[in-house]
Amino acid sequence: MDLQLSGRVVLVVGGAGYIGAAIVARAREEQAVVVVASRRAVDGIVMDARDDESVAAGVKAVIEQHGRLDAVVVTAAPSARTLDASKNGDPGQVAEAFDAKAIAFLRVANAVAPVMRAAGYGRIVGISGQNAFVTGNMAGSIRNAALIIAAKNLADDLAGTGVSVTTVSPGVVADNPATAVEPGAAGQSSPAQIADLVTFLVSPRAAVSGESIAVGHRVRGAISF
């Protein structure tokens, strides 16, 4: 299937990371013009998604260099496994995780939405996580659930404008994901599998908005709507 991404400009915030790098590679396979944004850019632009001015400057740079911005993927947040388990309910850790993921997504989405609205087309995708649906890691759960809720609100605000907003929620991410799915756990997925889904969602082929889509088996034994 031709995803019709040839020549379209896709900004990947966190594009130098584990998942982000796979998304960059996959979108480039579809002939998209991919701009990598990271705090220490080597191939792309410098952007700190936790800083309003940095985000605004980064989006401005993309428009100046390419004249358009068709899609943005936000995957700029550390793995939940980097959170300190001994501080599971610590307000400081929860607030920091919330800001680094949910607010970072909202900051980038708000910066690109006017550009896309004016163009009558755009795709915004946030990478969340399946611990949004279960307890046990308070900071991880709150930051991912908040990202999904923020995205749904944005999707509804942008309904009818040609701009879609979706989220993708992996479980554990591994190069060689296990096929077994334990009760109470999510299925594993690889960066490449996540990238395949995200690349479809940023394409004109995707008529999806307001959805949170799990990658791999959705948490076994849990129902969420």
Side-chain angles (χ1 to χ4, degrees):
M1 177 190 291
D2 178 9
L3 294 182
Q4 301 175 354
L5 279 171
S6 180
R8 292 192 179 268
V9 178
V10 179
L11 172 64
V12 182
V13 182
Y18 185 44
I19 296 173
I23 295 169
V24 169
R26 184 68 185 87
R28 283 176 174 164
E29 288 177 4
E30 295 294 330
Q31 307 304 311
V33 177
V34 182
V35 180
V36 176
S38 62
R39 284 184 287 171
R40 291 175 292 275
V42 176
D43 172 24
I45 62 173
V46 175
M47 180 188 290
D48 184 349
R50 299 170 300 177
D51 181 83
D52 290 334
E53 291 184 2
S54 179
V55 169
V59 172
K60 181 181 179 181
V62 174
I63 299 300
E64 289 177 345
Q65 292 172 20
H66 301 283
R68 60 190 292 173
L69 179 56
D70 299 289
V72 63
V73 182
V74 184
T75 179
S79 166
R81 287 177 287 182
T82 65
L83 298 170
D84 188 345
S86 70
K87 297 181 178 180
N88 185 45
D90 179 73
Q93 177 166 264
V94 172
E96 183 177 352
F98 175 80
D99 182 63
K101 190 160 192 177
I103 299 302
F105 166 79
L106 184 58
R107 188 174 286 115
V108 174
N110 281 341
V112 303
V115 176
M116 294 177 175
R117 186 193 287 269
Y121 174 86
R123 300 287 186 263
I124 301 170
V125 178
I127 306 299
S128 182
Q130 290 197 45
N131 60 5
F133 315 132
V134 294
T135 60
N137 184 326
M138 188 178 294
S141 180
I142 288 173
R143 70 176 188 170
N144 284 334
L147 193 158
I148 291 170
I149 293 167
K152 173 57 174 165
N153 276 271
L154 285 170
D156 288 357
D157 288 344
L158 292 165
T161 66
V163 183
S164 71
V165 187
T166 53
T167 56
V168 170
S169 294
V172 173
V173 182
D175 290 333
N176 298 295
T179 56
V181 182
E182 300 298 326
Q188 296 186 8
S189 57
S190 69
Q193 290 168 333
I194 298 166
D196 284 343
L197 175 58
V198 170
T199 303
F200 170 72
L201 291 173
V202 300
S203 78
R205 291 285 193 179
V208 182
S209 190
E211 287 294 330
S212 172
I213 305 171
V215 183
H217 192 97
R218 197 177 183 98
V219 179
R220 184 175 179 183
I223 296 175
S224 57
F225 298 95

